[in-house]
Amino acid sequence: MFRQMESAGLQDLHFWQDPDTGLQAIIAIHDTFRGPAIGGCRFITYPDTSAAIEDAIRLARGMSYKSALAGLPHGGGKSVIIKPAGRYNRGLLMQSFGRFVDSLDGRYITAMDSGTQISDMDNIALSTRYVTCTQDMGDPSPSTADGVFAGIKASLQFRLGHNELDKVHIALQGLGHVGWALAKQLHNAGARLSVTDIDPVKTARAKTELGATVVSPDEIYDVEADIFCPCGLGAIISPDTINRLRCGIVAGSANNQLADEAMGDALCERGILYAPDYLINSGGLIFVALQHARHHEQAIRQKVATIYDSLLELYQHADADQLATSYVADIRAEAIIHQASLKSHQAA
Ligand code: NAD
């Protein structure tokens, strides 16, 4: 386990079990050099404990990188609650998880993620103040969609020299919280949409309300479009899909879009502009971090809008140095975190 932590650069890993509620949870803290670790809490079924630990570690590192590039005063953390196999009381389980978060004295701030909802955050808030996305704060998905919308415009500007959405065709995968909000914005701006989802109710709605063309989940990779916009699963850019893409840009909200680091280089070699996932989808993190720090809505919107300039600047840097955009994002994030760790060691 220490080897696993070391290779991810993880600071600490915490475990908690509570026989009264059936809670088994893990909190992974990647770093706290730039401030308290922040990141969502997953509540899903795992095949075994190792898979849950691996998920928490991998996701915590991603949060550090996201926070660093967004310029937020936070490190990265992530928690997972292993979904109990038998009967359980969800409210009590979440309250127990809140006690776990509280035991870390603010080193980790939790938020919504796959499988958790606003009511869970409200229950967690009964035991700790280190929680966001409660009823009075709201869902970060609309801010994530706003950030991706800004990132899509920056990508078009860089690649095509304009960002007129009524002249582009977008293939969008996943019509969930973020995907649906984004599809509506793109439609309102005049973009032509081809969409997919494993849920036929969502695709039918997109066809009726947004005039979208519906394709099957597998066909989405073959759609000839200006942009492929992944808003569903991770690891969708893989050796199996990369050569099928018929787009000039990959820009979407999904976390961990590249199955491995080599896919970033492969996209670059194919001449496909890739918007690094943890930069373009950082609107949700900006929302939760600034909400937690009690910033106003206007300040949050302004900060989310800066994703446009950050992405454009990163594209220019990558282009000038003939590097993959994913590589430039990684080295920048790592440099920011390293710099903060040096400062913290010097201060100590
Ligand atoms: P969600 O669960 O609400 O939506 C995901 C959608 O993808 C669902 O409609 C689901 O049916 C669909 N889907 C699943 N498998 C699919 C497949 N094989 N083909 C097509 N569609 C499929 O999740 P969300 O909150 O909208 O997040 C979407 C992505 O963005 C995730 O990868 C998430 O990690 C990432 N993300 C979300 C936020 C946020 O604020 N919600 C922030 C940052 C990143």
Side-chain angles (χ1 to χ4, degrees):
M1 199 178 287
F2 278 115
R3 258 202 307 278
Q4 210 177 339
M5 287 173 69
E6 194 180 357
S7 81
L10 201 80
Q11 261 176 22
D12 40 293
L13 192 58
H14 303 264
F15 296 84
W16 182 276
Q17 68 123 1
D18 173 9
D20 291 342
T21 59
L23 177 72
Q24 290 188 331
I26 300 158
I27 296 177
I29 295 182
H30 181 262
D31 82 86
T32 50
F33 298 123
R34 304 177 58 256
I38 192 165
C41 170
R42 286 203 160 173
F43 182 47
I44 55 177
T45 309
Y46 286 96
D48 52 39
T49 314
S50 307
I53 296 170
E54 206 174 296
D55 208 24
I57 293 177
R58 187 176 52 90
L59 292 163
R61 178 164 76 167
M63 293 310 293
S64 280
Y65 285 28
K66 195 181 290 201
S67 185
L69 284 200
L72 296 169
H74 287 284
K78 208 82 179 187
S79 53
V80 301
I81 299 177
I82 299 170
K83 208 169 204 169
R87 286 164 66 88
Y88 60 92
N89 179 317
R90 189 166 176 137
L92 293 180
L93 195 83
M94 292 298 162
Q95 285 178 45
S96 178
F97 177 70
R99 290 193 287 281
F100 180 20
V101 172
D102 206 59
S103 73
L104 299 176
D105 277 335
R107 276 169 59 69
Y108 167 67
I109 301 165
T110 197
M112 256 165 70
D113 204 293
S114 306
T116 48
Q117 54 210 28
I118 287 180
S119 58
D120 294 328
M121 300 300 122
D122 286 339
N123 276 310
I124 293 168
L126 295 174
S127 315
T128 184
R129 62 195 168 98
Y130 303 114
V131 57
T132 64
C133 308
T134 50
Q135 190 64 50
D136 58 332
M137 294 183 179
D139 176 5
S141 305
S143 293
T144 305
D146 287 350
V148 177
F149 185 75
I152 283 177
K153 286 175 82 173
S155 307
L156 287 170
Q157 186 64 45
F158 182 78
R159 175 46 59 95
L160 304 179
H162 73 78
N163 55 36
E164 294 161 50
L165 282 154
D166 56 347
K167 294 198 173 76
V168 300
H169 177 203
I170 298 176
L172 194 146
Q173 178 185 49
L175 291 163
H177 290 97
V178 179
W180 179 255
L182 179 63
K184 273 203 299 195
Q185 285 197 52
L186 294 169
H187 169 72
N188 291 341
R192 183 156 70 91
L193 296 174
S194 291
V195 300
T196 194
D197 199 289
I198 48 169
D199 182 346
V201 175
K202 292 177 180 167
T203 50
R205 192 173 163 209
K207 186 176 176 181
T208 318
E209 294 183 25
L210 312 178
T213 302
V214 176
V215 301
S216 74
D218 186 54
E219 282 168 341
I220 196 76
Y221 301 105
D222 305 316
V223 173
E224 193 166 349
D226 298 286
I227 301 180
F228 171 54
C229 179
C231 297
L233 308 170
I236 29 71
I237 309 292
S238 70
D240 292 337
T241 60
I242 193 161
N243 291 319
R244 294 172 59 187
L245 295 179
R246 296 163 78 202
C247 59
I249 297 167
V250 173
S253 77
N255 274 318
N256 302 318
Q257 292 172 27
L258 307 178
D260 57 52
E261 282 175 20
M263 290 299 109
D265 294 328
L267 282 173
C268 185
E269 277 157 25
R270 284 206 54 205
I272 298 174
L273 182 67
Y274 170 63
D277 47 14
Y278 56 83
L279 175 50
I280 192 169
N281 74 14
S282 59
L285 177 65
I286 292 170
F287 173 88
V288 297
L290 298 197
Q291 274 267 7
H292 190 71
R294 306 280 170 215
H295 285 261
H296 288 293
E297 213 176 293
Q298 176 69 3
I300 297 174
R301 263 205 297 275
Q302 279 172 357
K303 177 79 177 155
V304 171
T306 62
I307 290 173
Y308 181 98
D309 286 333
S310 304
L311 205 47
L312 204 53
E313 197 271 322
L314 184 135
Y315 287 154
Q316 282 155 356
H317 173 170
D319 189 49
D321 291 354
Q322 294 287 293
L323 294 168
T325 54
S326 54
Y327 176 76
V328 173
D330 283 354
I331 53 170
R332 281 186 175 193
E334 283 158 14
I336 293 168
I337 296 165
H338 182 64
Q339 203 54 38
S341 80
L342 288 180
K343 262 195 196 155
S344 136
H345 292 146
Q346 276 161 7

